[in-house]
Amino acid sequence: MSTATADIHEVPAESRVHYLNARYGIKSWLLTLDHKRIGLLYLGTITFMFLIGGIAATLMRLNLIEPQGALVEPETYNKLFSTHGIVMVFFFLVPSIPATLGNFLIPLMIGARDVAFPKLNLMSWYIFVTGCCCMLYAVMTGGVDTGWTFYTPYSSTYAHTSVLLAALGIFIAGFSSILTGLNFIVTIHKMRAPGMTWFRLPLFIWSMYATSMIFVLGTPVIAVTLLLLGLERILHVGIFDPALGGDPLLFQHLFWFYSHPAVYIMILPGMGVVSELIPAFSRKRIFGYSFVAFSSLAIAVISFVVWGHHMFVTGQSVYAGLVFSVLSFLVAIPSAIKVFNWTATLYKGSISYQAPMLYALGFIGLFTMGGLTGLFLASLATDVHLNGTYFIVAHFHYIMVGGAVMAYLGGIHYWWPKITGRLYPDLWARFSALVIFVGFNLTFFPQFVLGYLGMPRRYAMYPAEFQSLNVLSSAGASVLAVGYVIPLVYLIWSLKYGPPAGPNPWKAKGLEWTIQSPPPTENFEETPIVTEEAYNYPTVGGVSV
Amino acid sequence: MSEHPGHSAHTLHEHIVPVSTYVAVFIALMFGTALTTWVAYHNLGRWNSVVALIIAVAKMLLVVLFFMHVKYNKGLSRIVIVGGFFWLGIMITLSLSDELTRRWEINPAPFNMILPYISHLHLLF
Ligand SMILES: [Cu+2]
């Protein structure tokens, strides 16, 4: 891609200075301004939060093995699903790809030495950790039972748990999102290497740009909403409580104005990762580059005008329901553009099924299922039947776990050799990708059926006729848990015992692959000059080689 | 590029605002706050919110234009500001599309008026 590519040859990671061994000690990490190290700080933090959210999910699934609840009191069950939702959404999925891979890769991909505001970047991590601590403290001192949506009056008039503390945690963590988004937008505008024009940018950068737009435009609204909630509870200012002259639906409008776009904060980075993986493992230029790029922006914009589809049965006016239903269908267009372009990229490609590619292919299938079942829920009439059932739970887990988490793991596997300079055992990685795919479908497909049959979500007990499907789902959850533990083991193993990866183990295109792994602290010894488009893989007679 | 010191000369044309401007804006903001408080003690009926909002918007404009330097910045900065307000507009408009239409009938009146005529159409066939 640049002139620097020609003279790159393998130097053992131990014998040269790179960002991991340039400085040692706790202080060198806690005070680092290096975007790569900050990405790793985030990686550690969100992995821990994923563990917390995962434990809550495991306990829930265990409880649902028996119709009358096998494990916990209904009150405890309420706290378990609330903790699971809040931790996974606000403290894992929202920062997952942007704060880890985004932080690590954006400067590398655009040929910069760091992000635009390195100190702001470190500050955002400290803010995020403060938010996490707040949330964990809330969990330890009584927990929250409102669900991750904090609907009033559960969170206001009738709240008797640590609602405000959890809300404060989200409020604080939100500022780390805003700062990260701001940093990325300025970095992408101002720090691109010479020759790196907008239409030569890797599609991951386009998706991070679109995500940052949502961070900056949406997150302040959830912060203000939670602040208003606090004002009402502490000072009794009437905002959401009808008895004080407020409107309970106003909370839902404000909450979903952020929280629907937040779904795209989770999935857009995943789409960006998949847009890197598919060309790399098909050895082909992406089909319809500009369509994939602009569909990211289209998704970001449209995501802000569809939130009312969460409120079809909560008392929103029929007219507003109609408007939001029509607008919601629009999101399907840019999403479908992406899926069609990825599959068209595969066509006549020279495909290899290494672990990251398995995750990418899993993403396409599961995201498509999640997206298409979303159309059921955007239709007013079917939503009346399906709203508040397990159908919804299955739908958004296909997007958030089948989509976002699959892409996150695919991205971690793809860039792990670059991040650590080490290779992991590919066979184990493929095996775990398969286990996760099987476990995921076994967990969540039965929930589509359960929801269609009318089993409501968020209950600790259920009628006996739903037991066999629930047991299937719980069995799937245990398979899924095993699937998540295997990568944790071999990735940590590879840190010490993995063979050296070399600069470009996948023979992939992109500036990040033109430098040593792990990269030197300053990324590029000389500022690269970009002379070609992204994904410029060699082809013979239209067929990739 | 920020890493090339040679380029910074023509990328950094930061407008230097005299301190007196900041002081004047600050005094104007304080005056606005005092005015809001004073107005709050007078019942203007339906104009209560209108007057409070007019003062608030004027103060907000002062902050955005002078303290946030939007008056001196062109191009991208203005697009960002306009974008922010546009998004606020989306939030208010679509929320009101619920709030203002809650009393609407499921069958709007004009449809009810022609319904008796349509329902006899089958007699023609
Ligand atoms: Cu939504």
Side-chain angles (χ1 to χ4, degrees):
Chain A
M1 197 150 198
S2 76
T3 49
T5 27
D7 54 341
I8 193 156
H9 38 79
E10 216 158 299
V11 182
E14 294 79 23
S15 61
R16 62 181 183 84
V17 178
H18 49 76
Y19 81 103
L20 290 171
N21 68 6
R23 285 165 67 212
Y24 288 102
I26 293 280
K27 219 176 122 191
S28 79
W29 281 90
L30 292 183
L31 296 178
T32 183
L33 297 179
D34 185 341
H35 66 100
K36 302 183 285 301
R37 284 190 168 206
I38 295 172
L40 291 188
L41 289 176
Y42 266 112
L43 181 67
T45 319
I46 66 164
T47 306
F48 176 73
M49 293 312 274
F50 183 79
L51 225 65
I52 303 283
I55 289 171
T58 312
L59 293 175
M60 274 156 66
R61 281 315 324 167
L62 276 176
N63 189 63
L64 291 174
I65 286 176
E66 279 181 25
Q68 65 279 43
L71 201 65
V72 293
E73 298 286 307
E75 286 78 17
T76 316
Y77 183 83
N78 293 348
K79 291 176 184 176
L80 283 176
F81 72 68
S82 304
T83 305
H84 168 69
I86 295 170
V87 168
M88 287 301 203
V89 168
F90 295 106
F91 298 97
F92 173 72
L93 281 164
V94 165
S96 62
I97 294 177
T100 58
L101 293 173
N103 253 327
F104 192 92
L105 289 168
I106 288 177
L108 295 181
M109 283 182 162
I110 65 174
R113 299 237 149 90
D114 208 317
V115 290
F117 308 114
K119 286 180 185 164
L120 213 58
N121 203 13
L122 181 65
M123 189 168 111
S124 84
W125 179 70
Y126 277 103
I127 293 175
F128 180 68
V129 170
T130 312
C132 288
C133 291
C134 227
M135 177 61 204
L136 292 176
Y137 188 68
V139 171
M140 286 186 290
T141 55
V144 196
D145 63 0
T146 59
W148 77 279
T149 47
F150 288 95
Y151 271 16
T152 52
Y154 301 130
S155 58
S156 53
T157 321
Y158 300 108
H160 43 261
T161 49
S162 316
V163 173
L164 274 190
L165 207 55
L168 183 68
I170 296 169
F171 179 82
I172 294 172
F175 284 92
S176 102
S177 296
I178 297 172
L179 295 184
T180 302
L182 194 72
N183 217 339
F184 287 176
I185 290 178
V186 178
T187 306
I188 296 169
H189 270 279
K190 294 287 180 189
M191 311 272 289
R192 283 172 285 127
M196 181 57 94
T197 58
W198 282 92
F199 290 97
R200 283 178 182 167
L201 285 171
L203 288 163
F204 180 74
I205 301 290
W206 278 92
S207 81
M208 290 312 306
Y209 189 85
T211 310
S212 302
M213 272 173 59
I214 308 180
F215 272 149
V216 172
L217 290 167
T219 319
V221 177
I222 189 79
V224 168
T225 310
L226 295 172
L227 204 65
L228 290 175
L229 192 69
L231 276 182
E232 182 171 280
R233 281 196 63 186
I234 298 167
L235 302 175
H236 301 285
V237 182
I239 295 158
F240 307 124
D241 183 0
L244 299 170
D247 183 338
L249 281 194
L250 181 62
F251 178 85
Q252 297 179 21
H253 278 300
L254 295 178
F255 178 84
W256 288 114
F257 181 82
Y258 164 77
S259 293
H260 181 81
V263 175
Y264 294 92
I265 290 179
M266 304 170 206
I267 201 71
L268 270 170
M271 292 167 158
V273 168
V274 171
S275 301
E276 297 296 314
L277 300 187
I278 298 283
F281 292 96
S282 315
R283 326 264 350 128
K284 244 186 103 194
R285 179 175 294 182
I286 189 109
F287 183 85
Y289 174 96
S290 51
F291 276 87
V292 181
F294 280 118
S295 62
S296 288
L297 297 186
I299 287 174
V301 172
I302 297 172
S303 76
F304 277 99
V305 297
V306 301
W307 78 81
H309 60 222
H310 297 271
M311 300 167 61
F312 287 161
V313 296
T314 61
Q316 176 182 244
S317 80
V318 174
Y319 171 77
L322 206 77
V323 171
F324 280 120
S325 172
V326 172
L327 289 172
S328 296
F329 278 102
L330 286 183
V331 188
I333 298 168
S335 308
I337 287 176
K338 282 192 192 287
V339 172
F340 286 130
N341 281 297
W342 292 325
T343 40
T345 306
L346 295 172
Y347 179 66
K348 283 191 173 172
S350 159
I351 300 171
S352 57
Y353 295 97
Q354 274 143 317
M357 184 61 161
L358 293 185
Y359 282 106
L361 293 174
F363 174 98
I364 296 181
L366 298 179
F367 170 74
T368 304
M369 272 192 75
L372 290 178
T373 48
L375 296 179
F376 294 39
L377 299 168
S379 314
L380 278 165
T382 43
D383 186 69
V384 172
H385 173 63
L386 297 171
N387 202 306
T389 70
Y390 265 86
F391 192 91
I392 293 220
V393 178
H395 155 71
F396 71 71
H397 279 87
Y398 266 77
I399 299 283
M400 292 181 187
V401 184
V405 178
M406 288 293 258
Y408 172 69
L409 288 173
I412 292 285
H413 280 83
Y414 181 56
W415 283 291
W416 188 259
K418 180 55 61 188
I419 296 171
T420 65
R422 304 281 187 168
L423 293 173
Y424 48 81
D426 190 55
L427 204 67
W428 276 105
R430 291 190 212 193
F431 174 67
S432 74
L434 207 68
V435 171
I436 289 173
F437 186 82
V438 171
F440 172 83
N441 280 298
L442 192 56
T443 311
F444 292 105
F445 196 84
Q447 296 186 5
F448 276 127
V449 185
L450 280 169
Y452 190 77
L453 294 175
M455 178 172 163
R457 63 192 285 206
R458 290 179 168 166
Y459 280 85
M461 302 167 191
Y462 53 85
E465 71 246 42
F466 293 141
Q467 189 174 10
S468 50
L469 284 168
N470 269 295
V471 169
L472 263 185
S473 178
S474 294
S478 56
V479 177
L480 192 58
V482 171
Y484 286 142
V485 170
I486 301 172
L488 201 65
V489 174
Y490 64 71
L491 287 180
I492 292 175
W493 175 88
S494 79
L495 287 178
K496 195 158 169 54
Y497 303 104
N504 191 359
W506 313 114
K507 308 258 177 301
K509 295 284 178 179
L511 284 181
E512 78 268 31
W513 301 110
T514 64
I515 54 173
Q516 301 282 359
S517 324
T521 307
E522 69 279 16
N523 296 348
F524 301 93
E525 270 128 52
E526 275 174 56
T527 305
I529 295 161
V530 182
T531 52
E532 48 176 51
E533 290 173 30
Y535 320 114
N536 199 8
Y537 290 98
T539 55
V540 174
V543 180
S544 53
V545 288
Chain B
M1 272 341 86
S2 57
E3 60 257 41
H4 299 303
H7 288 212
S8 58
H10 43 243
T11 48
L12 281 178
H13 24 224
E14 189 64 31
H15 187 93
I16 307 295
V17 185
V19 178
S20 59
T21 310
Y22 287 136
V23 173
V25 171
F26 179 74
I27 292 170
L29 287 174
M30 286 298 121
F31 175 73
T33 309
L35 196 64
T36 313
T37 317
W38 180 75
V39 166
Y41 287 99
H42 296 77
N43 192 359
L44 307 176
R46 63 195 299 191
W47 296 97
N48 273 333
S49 312
V50 178
V51 172
L53 277 173
I54 287 174
I55 302 172
V57 167
K59 285 168 69 184
M60 179 269 295
L61 281 176
L62 285 176
V63 171
V64 170
L65 289 176
F66 293 98
F67 284 177
M68 293 170 73
H69 285 209
V70 171
K71 188 174 186 296
Y72 317 109
N73 283 329
K74 300 266 179 297
L76 210 53
S77 312
R78 291 204 173 178
I79 293 178
V80 171
I81 297 286
V82 171
F85 281 108
F86 183 72
W87 252 254
L88 187 68
I90 293 177
M91 189 180 88
I92 293 171
T93 316
L94 282 176
S95 295
L96 284 178
S97 82
D98 162 34
E99 207 85 17
L100 297 178
T101 60
R102 286 194 193 152
R103 280 167 215 287
W104 284 15
E105 304 260 327
I106 292 175
N107 295 325
F111 186 67
N112 282 346
M113 274 162 58
I114 58 170
L115 201 60
Y117 303 97
I118 304 175
S119 59
H120 289 102
L121 277 180
H122 66 274
L123 296 177
L124 296 173
F125 300 104

